Structures are given as structure tokens and as C-alpha cells.
Amino acid sequence: MPGSTLFTDAMALTPVGDGVYHGELNEHWTIGPKVHGGAMLALCANAARTELGGAMQPIAMSANYLWAPDPGPMQLVTTVLKRGRRISLVDVELRQGVRVGDERSREEQRVAVRAAITLGEPEHHVPPLLSFNPVVPLMTPEPPPGLEPIGPGHPMEPIVHLAHGCDIRPALHTMGPRTDGGPPVFEYWVRPKGVAPDVLFALLCGDVSAPVTFAVERTGWAPTVQLTAYLRALPADGWLRVMCTSVQIGQDWFDEDHIVVDCEGRIIVQSRQLAMVPADA
């Protein structure tokens, strides 16, 4: 449903047989003109889960981004490598390039994302044996009073089109240049509009932050090359807290880590990506 802003509609897939699904890269789930990397990761995870019948969840995934597709029709091609009792493995390719509705072969589609997805059962609602959760001491379960959502008049509104379908509240004071020599620590509160957060939305939140290169005043396009994400638990209904950090911002490459925590204080998603440092303006 291209015109819809609902996250569930953006994740909708139509099976066409032989492990192939048709879908739409939704124009509302974009950063600037390009489709959000976390949204594409969630689509790949959805295709893998659907191909296995929906009983298992995508607990670990590794995605390589080959190029940045535009909003519009696309295909997801799944290859089941293992169907296990506790663990299953599915490879997924997100393809775009020729008309999705025609009869041409798979090979004529251009692969934009290639993902290896491990499916199983995430942690149940039980206390962990050990956990070091850096988010809970710093971020409240709900956004602080006065923290504005991205929308009309917000400085990030012209580029973060995800705000059409979800309530995103960045703590802008955490995103400026660091003058004390410390690492960047960006803070966000996020939830989808009209529905409760689910596994796929939590995975999207593992890539929701502005690039940590904002901390060194590099604010241009920072394309993700590789992203690895873990689903640790199912999210509770409420706000998701997202903390984004980095170990090193190089001249060419930087790493970026996300920790996604639900309103009950449980770690839901962890992610790490390698991306390209924007050019110096």
C-alpha cells in the first residue's frame, strides 16, 4: 500500500511462489530520497519469517547493502538453508530494477540488500542471568516533558520521513559536537503510530539514529555498508528507548552501535553497523 504511512502496511508482502515475495519500498519510510536501511532489514526479516510459516522470530541477521534503492516495487527472494527444531537459517535478497510484475527471471533483478537470517525463539519474559544495560540509568521509560517529536517545524523534519509513520523524539542536545573528548551518545524515544511496536519495528529501531558523525560535524549522507542485529526479546507495548554510540569515527569508515530497550527496561535489539564517513562540507 504505497500511500499508507502505517508500519504494518510498509511491511506487507505478497507471496508469488518459489520463495519469492512482492512488496513495496514505501516512500514514507525513507531518509531523504532513499529507503531507510532499517526498514529494508525488517522487510528481509519478515520474508524469512513468513517463508518458515511465522513460528520462529529473526533472532540474528547480517545484512550487506550493495546499493541504495528508490521507493517503489521490489522483490524479496528467500532461500531456506536449514529448517530446524530450534534454529533455522534463511538467506534473503532484496531486489529491484525491472518491472516486478513481468515474467522475467530473478537474475534480471538487481540485488540491493543481501541478508543472512537466523531464526529461533528470543528470550522469554524472564530475568536475565546477567545484564549490563546502559540505557535504563540514563533514559526514562517515556520521553522527558517538552521533548518535541520530529514533525512540522522540527529541524530534522525535512529529511526524516520516518516520522510520517512513527513518533520519533530525539534528544537534540545529545547530537551536537563533543567538546569534552568523550564518545557520542545519541538518545531517542520511538514508537509506531496506530499500532504497538513489534519485532520488525524494533529491528528498524536498530538503525533509527542520525549518523554518529554528527558528533564530528559530518552531517551528510553516511551510507551503511554492513549491519548486524540481534533480537533479544519481544517488545512490550509502549515507547522504545534507543541509545546510539560509536567506538571510532575514522577518516573513511565509522562504526555505530544501537541498543533498543522497551518501556519495561528490557534489551530488545542490539545492532552494529559499518558505514562511510560523509565528506567534509
Side-chain angles (χ1 to χ4, degrees):
M1 303 178 67
S4 174
T5 60
L6 283 177
F7 179 73
T8 49
D9 288 340
M11 293 293 107
L13 300 176
T14 301
V16 295
D18 297 326
V20 179
Y21 296 84
H22 288 177
E24 187 83 14
L25 296 175
N26 190 294
E27 62 182 343
H28 297 293
W29 296 87
T30 56
I31 300 294
K34 293 297 183 179
V35 182
H36 183 253
M40 291 190 287
L41 182 72
L43 281 164
C44 291
N46 194 25
R49 185 176 65 177
T50 304
E51 184 64 16
L52 289 178
M56 291 183 168
Q57 298 291 352
I59 59 172
M61 57 215 70
S62 176
N64 289 286
Y65 294 82
L66 283 70
W67 60 284
D70 296 312
M74 57 89 191
Q75 281 187 350
L76 290 162
V77 180
T78 66
T79 303
V80 178
L81 303 180
K82 175 184 177 180
R83 291 181 183 267
R85 184 175 63 86
R86 295 196 63 185
I87 296 294
S88 295
L89 304 176
V90 181
D91 283 352
V92 181
E93 291 184 346
L94 189 155
R95 301 179 177 186
Q96 191 186 61
V98 302
R99 296 186 304 276
V100 172
D102 66 18
E103 298 299 325
R104 301 184 190 185
S105 69
R106 295 181 182 182
E107 287 70 27
E108 294 185 54
Q109 293 280 339
R110 185 181 176 194
V111 178
V113 182
R114 178 173 286 117
I117 300 175
T118 304
L119 297 104
E121 283 295 320
E123 294 283 348
H124 295 281
H125 208 132
V126 293
L129 298 176
L130 183 149
S131 180
F132 177 72
N133 186 335
V135 174
V136 169
L138 296 179
M139 300 178 67
T140 55
E142 295 189 355
L147 193 65
E148 294 295 327
I150 297 177
H154 194 281
M156 300 178 74
E157 188 268 339
I159 191 169
V160 182
H161 303 141
L162 301 180
H164 297 164
C166 60
D167 191 336
I168 309 179
R169 304 198 181 200
L172 294 179
H173 70 278
T174 69
M175 299 172 61
R178 291 300 298 258
T179 59
D180 59 1
V185 181
F186 295 178
E187 299 174 1
Y188 282 73
W189 283 259
V190 191
R191 65 180 178 185
K193 295 179 179 178
V195 295
D198 62 2
V199 165
L200 300 178
F201 186 79
L203 289 171
L204 178 145
C205 287
D207 186 37
V208 78
S209 174
V212 291
T213 54
F214 276 37
V216 292
E217 299 184 279
R218 296 288 185 94
T219 59
W221 186 46
T224 299
V225 174
Q226 197 277 345
L227 189 152
T228 297
Y230 300 139
L231 174 69
R232 307 304 305 271
L234 304 180
D237 187 0
W239 288 94
L240 295 176
R241 290 168 273 181
V242 184
M243 178 179 289
C244 179
T245 62
S246 178
V247 175
Q248 178 169 290
I249 301 172
Q251 295 291 335
D252 298 308
W253 303 94
F254 70 95
D255 60 83
E256 183 170 291
D257 294 346
H258 284 62
I259 299 178
V260 181
V261 172
D262 72 1
C263 59
E264 297 180 357
R266 297 176 303 140
I267 296 176
I268 304 300
V269 166
Q270 295 168 269
S271 70
R272 169 165 285 184
Q273 62 180 276
L274 182 70
M276 301 176 71
V277 176
D280 189 355

